Amino acid sequence: MRFRFPQFKFIRGLAFRYSLFFLVAIMIILFFPLVIGYGFSSILLLEKAKNEATILTKQTVAQFENVLQPTELVPQTLVQAMENPNISYAEVLRIARDFIIHDPYVFGTCLAFEPYLFNRDQYWYAPYAFEKNGKLQIRVLGSGEYDYFKMDWYRLPKLLNKPVWTEPYYDEGGGDTLMCTYSTPIYRKINGQRTFTGVLTMDVSLSGFAHIVNSINIFKTGYGFLVSRQGKIITSPKTVMNNLNIIDLAIAGRGIKTQIAIRQMLKGKSEIKDMDGIESKKNPSFLSFAPVSNTGWSFGIVFPKEELFDDLYTFLKFMSWMFGISILVLLVTTIFITRRMTRPIVRLVETTHKIGQGDFNAKLPIRKSRDEVAQLTRAFGVMQDELRSYIHNLEETTTAKEKIESELQVAHNIQMGMLPRGFKTPENWDLFATLDPAKAVGGDLYDFFYLDDDHLCIAIGDVAGKGVPASLFMMVTRTLLRAKATAKLPLNQLMSSLNDELCKENPNEMFVTFFAGIVDLTSGVMEFCNAGHNYPYILHENGKLDQLKIRNGLPLGIFANSTYTTTTYSFNPCEILVMTTDGITDALNMANNFFGEAHLASFLTSLAKKDTKSLTELLIAEVKRFSTGTEQADDITILALQYKDLLRKTNQPMQTYHLTLLNQVTELESLEAKIEELAELWQIPAKVVMEINLVLEELFTNMVFYGYNDHEPHLIKIEFHFIDEHQIQLRLEDDGKPFNLLEKNTGNVIDQPLSERQIGGLGIHFVKEMMNKIEYQRLGNNNIILLTKIF
């Protein structure tokens, strides 16, 4: 029910009318002009400060250039003069010494020579003149401790073939002070060729630059600093920053704007940039910077923003206080006037709070007038009656829902109870399965049971849909499977019969993808039928993963009278058959990405050494981790079956040898040599060795001559397994054309005339006669033949 209220004349009374008028008036008179004035003042102050900082930056850079220009010009001139063989090194060194005496910024000069060039008996020779304590001192540099050939001031001009400024460094053993060096390469003609002979340097002490930088005065705490090409701080009035790298300081302060400004500065740009602090982000500043010509250095001036607007902030604080006091006075007056007028609404609010807390019998205040508060009170009375009725209906609905949930829980327990429990597998097998429904009940199923002492039936399925209908269809499928299996029908007939039964009286047109297999527990051979289900995985002991990519028919329940075929697979020791439903691959994460086949295959590979229970539990945990934060959308079912290797468990290791041959007849010699080697090692009787030799030679030559359509090289893999002293197993694998020797009829080949015999028929006849057991399967693109010889 909706309620319409007339315009609230009472609430729009005198108090609110006057309070609204005064608030709007004060905002217009005080606040708006204040904001406009503040904005214009900020812009003007900012532009003025930027102009002053830019001018000061350029002036300081000019000072640096005036200091450095003679420092660069003198060694360049002297080096050019030294190319004249009539100019002696002593004369050059004397002129350089005179220069450092008269130039207050140049600390020292050095004339360093290549090994044995100045004196054939001296590897190092570098006379160094420098000023210390007002006196000129001379020192010859060069030793094992001071190997100037490895130092930047000597190495860089030689490599670059041009004068360079070095990074700031402490010249221990030389000038013993912090300095930067301008190094100029020296060339002279030796034997008619222009040859590098050494370096002439001019050292500039950083204390001279410090005087210029320390004289910078901008605002209260603004300061300047000089950095090298690589970002090393040459000098700054903040001594803690000296010799540090400006990039490291910017990164340590975690300021993005600062890092951008520093990068532009080191690129040699000339501009002014915003910063969010150098040492920390708590000190927003401006940085004005410009490059120092020819050196790769840059000079910058930093000044905090807050100092720029100090006077403006003081004025703004004063006006804010005045504005706040005015608003406070107005609010106190308004509250005092309106308090008496709003008392009836307060009482109504107190009652509605009680109703909101569940007291639907709370008594509303009585008001006899016809104003808006009285109309609101009557409307709350109607709402109170409707809420009381709604809560009563909600309680009944909740009770019914709880009953349904209880029944679903019972159905869940029944469904889970129908799954096999307490199953004891033979000693040489390991089996584990689990089902995790997306709802209380689900449509996935698995089952396993004995057909007799030597045969185990395993099955897994996924009903299309979820919830109660799918769970009922699942229970019917499982019941029919067990009923049909007891009749000991061939597996293909069993699947056809199961399909026909499910197609009957199926108005909802439900169906189930289904995989069923019958495992011979003694031989390790499984006959299976895949009716549209996910391809199972075969996990080998070495971590290799294969899939049985075979479909033997449509899902059960779609079309009656459908036919189904079967396929066989022979387990190798320690292999694990892993069967799943699409609840794993279709699991979604928070980014709406599927778990997928690739993720499943990759994770299974990491579980090669696990038993079936650990494999299943770890896979379930990985799916849960992947889909954390999302609701499970589909049932998850896993069944894992492992053919154990009993010989290893009894500390009697099965001896296995591998041989890989090319599809060439000449490889027969290698095959025969391996057979003889293993016959001696395993002490195999001569008659058995001869039979094995004949069988492998026959199969190998068939593969070479008839197995391939091309003339490319292919690999044929042969494995020799010594089971025990009376049994040997041979495994051959090639990627040739499909060929099942078991399907080739050789029954009367001996009695046929020679002209009527098919090529290869007699050889295959001998293979079947000499071997006790032969198995064949096509796995992917490969033929696999498993031979067993008992003697």
Side-chain angles (χ1 to χ4, degrees):
M1 181 182 293
R2 298 182 62 188
F3 299 94
R4 297 183 180 274
F5 298 99
Q7 193 177 16
F8 274 27
K9 296 180 181 179
F10 180 81
I11 297 177
R12 294 179 65 244
L14 181 63
F16 283 94
R17 206 176 295 166
Y18 277 115
S19 63
L20 182 61
F21 171 78
F22 279 121
L23 282 171
V24 172
I26 290 176
M27 289 177 65
I28 294 175
I29 295 172
L30 296 178
F31 190 68
F32 186 72
L34 182 64
V35 171
I36 298 298
Y38 175 73
F40 278 115
S41 300
S42 300
I43 294 172
L44 293 175
L45 282 173
L46 180 60
E47 291 301 319
K48 180 181 177 183
K50 286 183 176 180
N51 289 335
E52 290 179 357
T54 301
I55 293 172
L56 185 56
T57 301
K58 291 181 179 179
Q59 290 175 346
T60 308
V61 167
Q63 283 185 269
F64 288 130
E65 292 174 348
N66 290 337
V67 170
L68 297 175
Q69 188 174 10
T71 306
E72 298 174 351
L73 185 59
V74 169
Q76 289 177 8
T77 303
L78 291 175
V79 165
Q80 290 177 0
M82 290 172 68
E83 293 193 10
N84 187 341
N86 297 323
I87 302 297
S88 67
Y89 292 132
E91 182 65 18
V92 170
L93 190 59
R94 183 190 64 77
I95 296 172
R97 287 199 302 266
D98 292 342
F99 176 69
I100 66 171
I101 293 173
H102 296 92
D103 192 305
Y105 293 98
V106 178
F107 174 77
T109 181
C110 179
L111 184 59
F113 292 94
E114 281 285 271
Y116 307 114
L117 187 63
F118 184 81
N119 188 329
R120 292 184 179 181
D121 296 329
Q122 284 186 284
Y123 181 74
W124 296 284
Y125 186 72
Y128 180 54
F130 61 99
E131 189 176 7
K132 190 170 185 180
N133 300 326
K135 296 180 180 180
L136 184 66
Q137 300 185 21
I138 297 177
R139 177 185 297 171
V140 177
L141 304 179
S143 64
E145 292 77 17
Y146 193 91
D147 187 357
Y148 60 79
F149 297 124
K150 298 179 182 178
M151 297 181 179
D152 286 350
W153 62 263
Y154 190 92
R155 185 174 55 87
L156 290 179
K158 179 179 179 180
L159 290 175
L160 300 177
N161 194 23
K162 65 178 183 179
V164 295
W165 278 100
T166 67
E167 293 288 300
Y169 67 99
Y170 185 84
D171 189 25
E172 184 176 359
D176 294 320
T177 187
L178 281 172
M179 63 174 66
C180 288
T181 298
Y182 183 75
S183 300
T184 308
I186 303 170
Y187 291 90
R188 277 197 169 184
K189 283 190 177 182
I190 299 176
N191 296 328
Q193 292 185 351
R194 190 171 182 264
T195 305
F196 175 80
T197 59
V199 168
L200 178 62
T201 70
M202 288 292 172
D203 297 333
V204 179
S205 175
L206 299 189
S207 59
F209 293 139
H211 175 72
I212 297 175
V213 174
N214 292 341
S215 65
I216 301 298
N217 185 16
I218 182 168
F219 296 104
K220 293 180 181 178
T221 60
Y223 62 92
F225 63 92
L226 183 65
V227 296
S228 68
R229 186 192 311 270
Q230 301 298 327
K232 191 172 183 180
I233 299 176
I234 297 173
T235 183
S236 167
K238 293 195 171 186
T239 55
V240 295
M241 293 174 57
N242 288 335
N243 295 319
L244 298 179
N245 195 293
I246 190 69
I247 300 175
D248 294 338
L249 290 177
I251 293 174
R254 300 185 182 91
I256 300 300
K257 291 182 179 179
T258 300
Q259 295 178 37
I260 293 173
I262 294 301
R263 289 193 188 100
Q264 293 296 103
M265 181 179 182
L266 296 180
K267 288 180 181 179
K269 304 289 185 179
S270 177
E271 52 187 306
I272 187 166
K273 286 281 189 179
D274 267 346
M275 293 199 307
D276 31 20
I278 291 184
E279 292 105 331
S280 71
K281 294 177 69 175
K282 298 180 180 179
N283 189 22
S285 310
F286 287 109
L287 173 63
S288 173
F289 52 86
V292 180
S293 300
N294 300 327
T295 63
W297 301 350
S298 293
F299 174 72
I301 293 178
V302 177
F303 54 98
K305 289 183 181 180
E306 62 179 12
E307 295 180 6
L308 177 63
F309 301 111
D310 271 352
D311 294 337
L312 198 60
Y313 286 155
T314 302
F315 174 72
L316 183 62
K317 288 178 183 178
F318 172 75
M319 295 304 296
S320 299
W321 274 105
M322 293 297 296
F323 180 77
I325 292 172
S326 301
I327 293 296
L328 182 62
V329 171
L330 179 63
L331 288 176
V332 171
T333 304
T334 303
I335 292 171
F336 178 77
I337 295 173
T338 58
R339 191 169 182 181
R340 294 178 58 190
M341 301 179 181
T342 57
R343 189 172 293 120
I345 295 178
V346 172
R347 293 176 180 173
L348 179 60
V349 169
E350 291 174 352
T351 305
T352 57
H353 282 169
K354 294 179 181 179
I355 296 173
Q357 293 170 359
D359 185 5
F360 300 109
N361 296 316
K363 189 175 181 180
L364 291 168
I366 299 173
R367 191 166 180 85
K368 298 180 180 180
S369 64
R370 298 178 60 85
D371 59 20
E372 291 84 353
V373 177
Q375 295 180 42
L376 187 61
T377 302
R378 288 191 288 272
F380 270 110
V382 176
M383 182 188 70
Q384 187 179 25
D385 295 336
E386 291 188 352
L387 279 174
R388 192 182 296 114
S389 175
Y390 172 77
I391 293 300
H392 176 72
N393 294 334
L394 183 61
E395 289 175 348
E396 293 181 348
T397 302
T398 303
T399 302
K401 183 179 178 182
E402 290 176 350
K403 183 178 179 182
I404 293 172
E405 290 177 350
S406 176
E407 293 172 350
L408 284 175
Q409 184 61 41
V410 173
H412 171 79
N413 294 337
I414 293 173
Q415 183 184 24
M416 293 296 104
M418 291 185 67
L419 299 175
R421 291 287 189 274
F423 184 81
K424 185 176 181 180
T425 57
E427 185 181 1
N428 58 331
W429 293 87
D430 186 20
L431 175 63
F432 191 82
T434 185
L435 190 156
D436 184 11
K439 296 185 177 180
V441 290
D444 278 11
L445 70 105
Y446 70 82
D447 202 3
F448 45 84
F449 54 90
Y450 286 109
L451 297 176
D452 53 46
D453 291 343
D454 295 327
H455 292 85
L456 174 70
C457 181
I458 59 174
I460 188 170
D462 185 1
V463 178
K466 293 180 284 295
V468 175
S471 69
L472 293 175
F473 200 78
M474 166 265 197
M475 294 170 71
V476 170
T477 304
R478 187 257 187 189
T479 303
L480 287 173
L481 172 66
R482 292 219 171 193
K484 299 291 182 182
T486 55
K488 295 189 176 181
L489 296 173
L491 182 58
N492 60 331
Q493 296 180 22
L494 185 151
M495 295 292 283
S496 297
S497 177
L498 188 59
N499 174 68
D500 294 342
E501 291 292 340
L502 291 175
C503 288
K504 295 177 182 178
E505 299 179 3
N506 186 7
N508 294 325
E509 298 182 347
M510 301 187 73
F511 63 90
V512 56
T513 64
F514 201 70
F515 182 99
I518 297 176
V519 183
D520 187 333
L521 299 175
T522 58
S523 67
V525 177
M526 175 180 68
E527 181 185 13
F528 65 88
C529 178
N530 188 345
H533 195 69
N534 301 40
Y535 294 129
Y537 287 92
I538 299 294
L539 180 58
H540 302 277
E541 185 182 15
N542 61 0
K544 181 184 177 183
L545 194 69
D546 292 316
Q547 269 189 298
L548 298 178
K549 293 188 175 182
I550 298 172
R551 294 269 195 245
N552 301 103
L554 295 172
L556 305 181
I558 296 181
F559 298 115
N561 302 318
S562 296
T563 58
Y564 294 87
T565 62
T566 62
T567 309
T568 59
Y569 178 79
S570 298
F571 283 92
N572 290 314
C574 297
E575 286 183 346
I576 303 177
L577 171 70
V578 183
M579 299 187 292
T580 65
T581 58
D582 58 8
I584 292 180
T585 54
D586 291 349
L588 288 169
N589 61 9
M590 294 291 289
N592 282 330
N593 295 323
F594 288 103
F595 190 87
E597 291 283 353
H599 190 167
L600 174 59
S602 174
F603 190 73
L604 283 176
T605 301
S606 67
L607 304 178
K609 301 295 183 181
K610 304 295 183 181
D611 57 33
T612 56
K613 182 178 180 182
S614 299
L615 181 146
T616 303
E617 292 174 347
L618 290 171
L619 181 54
I620 289 287
E622 174 65 11
V623 176
K624 298 291 186 184
R625 182 201 64 77
F626 176 83
S627 56
T628 300
T630 63
E631 184 179 357
Q632 183 178 337
D634 200 358
D635 306 332
I636 296 175
T637 303
I638 306 171
L639 189 151
L641 176 67
Q642 183 180 30
Y643 184 30
K644 295 182 180 178
D645 189 347
L646 286 182
L647 294 175
R648 298 187 187 183
K649 291 200 169 188
T650 57
N651 295 322
Q652 184 182 356
M654 180 175 68
Q655 300 181 45
T656 301
Y657 289 86
H658 302 266
L659 181 63
T660 302
L661 305 173
L662 289 173
N663 58 329
Q664 298 175 3
V665 177
T666 55
E667 294 282 61
L668 282 173
E669 294 181 4
S670 300
L671 176 58
E672 185 178 351
K674 175 56 73 173
I675 294 172
E676 292 178 357
E677 175 190 341
L678 296 179
E680 182 179 354
L681 176 65
W682 293 339
Q683 297 182 356
I684 304 172
K687 181 177 180 297
V688 176
V689 174
M690 181 190 69
E691 292 176 347
I692 292 174
N693 212 335
L694 287 174
V695 167
L696 291 182
E697 182 178 341
E698 171 65 23
L699 294 177
F700 182 79
T701 53
N702 278 348
M703 293 175 183
V704 172
F705 289 116
Y706 309 114
Y708 304 96
N709 292 324
D710 55 29
H711 299 287
E712 299 294 324
H714 295 268
L715 296 179
I716 299 174
K717 300 177 182 178
I718 304 176
E719 295 179 3
F720 302 84
H721 302 285
F722 182 74
I723 306 300
D724 56 40
E725 59 185 2
H726 298 295
Q727 185 175 351
I728 293 176
Q729 194 175 73
L730 308 171
R731 185 178 187 273
L732 292 85
E733 181 176 353
D734 71 283
D735 59 348
K737 296 181 293 185
F739 177 71
N740 186 352
L741 74 168
L742 296 176
E743 295 176 352
K744 194 169 184 65
N745 184 10
T746 61
N748 59 349
V749 69
I750 298 295
D751 301 327
Q752 291 178 348
L754 186 62
S755 59
E756 296 179 4
R757 294 177 185 173
Q758 296 182 3
I759 297 175
L762 185 59
I764 294 175
H765 172 76
F766 284 139
V767 171
K768 292 181 177 179
E769 288 295 319
M770 293 179 181
M771 292 291 107
N772 298 93
K773 184 178 180 181
I774 302 174
E775 300 171 50
Y776 170 82
Q777 66 185 88
R778 181 75 177 178
L779 188 59
N781 295 323
N782 290 2
N783 297 303
I784 297 176
I785 302 172
L786 196 63
L787 308 172
T788 302
K789 179 65 178 177
I790 300 174
F791 52 92

